[in-house]
Amino acid sequence: MAHISLEQARVAKRATQQRLEAAGQDAAVGITRVDGEYAVKVNVAAAPRAAGRLPASIEGVPVKVEVVGPITPRARSGARRP
């Protein structure tokens, strides 16, 4: 696997968020590490509908989807997140 930079992961995170929004899929999207490399982490309340399914990678960055149950927005603390 090629090295994935934090900037590549950020670009893939934004692309993932846009895809999910276009499909009407509620999800929490972040950046994580998988096997020492950056990846996009998508937490969903329920298994994605067909239109909201994601590929295994976006922009060359792995995408990991996990069903976590209800998702509630958290207040932003002002800290910058990737």
Side-chain angles (χ1 to χ4, degrees):
M1 177 188 312
H3 174 71
I4 298 167
S5 71
L6 180 56
E7 186 54 36
Q8 287 172 296
R10 286 178 175 149
V11 169
K13 176 185 171 187
R14 286 189 293 274
T16 302
Q17 288 170 318
Q18 291 170 348
R19 272 182 104 127
L20 290 166
E21 288 170 7
Q25 180 75 40
D26 290 329
V29 182
I31 295 174
T32 190
R33 292 264 197 173
V34 175
D35 297 328
E37 292 290 341
Y38 288 107
V40 174
K41 174 75 183 295
V42 181
N43 293 334
V44 294
R49 297 181 300 274
R53 289 202 180 113
L54 295 168
S57 67
I58 292 180
E59 305 281 337
V61 178
V63 176
K64 302 298 176 191
V65 178
E66 184 176 351
V67 177
V68 296
I71 296 173
T72 55
R74 294 186 344 188
R76 298 212 61 145
S77 65
R80 182 178 169 178
R81 293 188 176 169

